[in-house]
Amino acid sequence: MKNVAVLDCFSGISGDMTVGAFLDHGMDFSLLKKELRKVAVADYSLVCKKVKRAHMVATQFIVRCKTEKKRGMKSIHGTAGTYADICALLEASKLDMRVKQ
């Protein structure tokens, strides 16, 4: 049996909100960090914390980027990373082929 997530985003949803929702529902933050290290992007850190807004509690997911480049790794922060740039980063990564697809 497959797990299925249905997102009813009638007015849209941002990437950080999507990841926060998955983390809220059991996605392993340590595994997420481990997998993202397989993509050659440098100088970022990930933060995951519980936040309360009015009467709602949720998981906030934050990506903090630095602009400095490191030894042969790309930094797309502060640049206009195109869809092609992102596809190239993913294709060159060490992620599992199913994830790349």
Side-chain angles (χ1 to χ4, degrees), residues 11-71:
S11 63
I13 187 169
S14 63
D16 61 329
M17 290 174 68
T18 303
V19 175
F22 285 135
L23 291 166
D24 233 5
H25 285 85
M27 184 171 75
D28 184 347
F29 185 53
S30 297
L31 178 61
L32 175 63
K33 291 190 293 188
K34 177 184 168 194
E35 290 299 305
L36 288 175
R37 283 193 292 270
K38 295 178 181 180
V39 181
V41 176
D43 297 327
Y44 71 93
S45 63
L46 305 176
V47 178
C48 174
K49 64 181 181 177
K50 291 289 184 186
V51 294
K52 184 175 181 182
R53 304 282 192 270
H55 299 288
M56 298 185 73
V57 177
T59 299
Q60 183 178 27
F61 175 71
I62 302 166
V63 179
R64 293 197 174 122
C65 299
K66 300 174 187 173
T67 57
E68 198 175 338
K69 291 185 179 183
K70 276 192 178 176
R71 295 170 251 146

